[in-house]
Amino acid sequence: MATWLDHTDFARYALIPEELLPAWEGTEAEDVIGAYVASFRLAGHDILTLGGEPLPVTWLAEPRTFARWYEADDDTGLLPAVRAAMAADSWEDVLTLELGGRYVLTDAAYEADRIAASLRDADGPAEAIRVELPPRRYRVQSLIVDSDPMSRFMLERLLAE
């Protein structure tokens, strides 16, 4: 199944370009705390943030979609629900941004040393997920899906423009 980041102390995840990771201090995303999906610029890069609540999150590379565990006992129905949702007309446009290259999805409050240690420790609980994206402009869209009557996931997909 998917690798999940199971909590965030800051209630905000950040998609950090790997080249900016050594200088990441864990305070950069403080201006976007109130939004479920937001972005800000740092050193010439767009930084995508996901938050609003401390929900577990994962990255699904093939549909270029972040999934957040909204209400569910497990993630067994997630992939079929995401595949079915791809053609839905109910996706909500949130923002557009420029992305491309290697990224790390992690708790926005974590400092660089903690993130790097998590990436090296394959046996410990995941605190960071690697994400690779082709360089381009992306539209971020959101949707809540029900994988079954007892399971809901918040999705944010990246659509190439």
Side-chain angles (χ1 to χ4, degrees), residues 55-120:
L55 302 172
V57 66
T58 192
W59 168 247
L60 305 171
E62 186 178 315
R64 288 194 192 126
T65 301
F66 298 96
R68 288 188 274 170
W69 196 297
Y70 193 66
E71 297 172 1
D73 291 329
D74 59 43
D75 65 352
T76 55
L78 174 62
L79 292 177
V82 170
R83 284 188 200 105
M86 287 298 124
D89 293 332
S90 51
W91 288 89
E92 179 183 328
D93 289 339
V94 180
L95 55 87
T96 57
L97 68 171
E98 297 283 336
L99 299 171
R102 296 181 63 163
Y103 292 83
V104 175
L105 177 68
T106 190
D107 188 314
Y110 292 169
E111 294 180 2
D113 290 343
R114 181 172 181 174
I115 297 166
S118 174
L119 291 170
R120 287 189 304 268

Side-chain angles (χ1 to χ4, degrees), residues 27-42:
T27 59
E28 290 84 351
E30 289 178 350
D31 291 337
V32 293
I33 289 174
Y36 277 89
V37 180
S39 70
F40 64 94
R41 299 273 302 162
L42 180 66

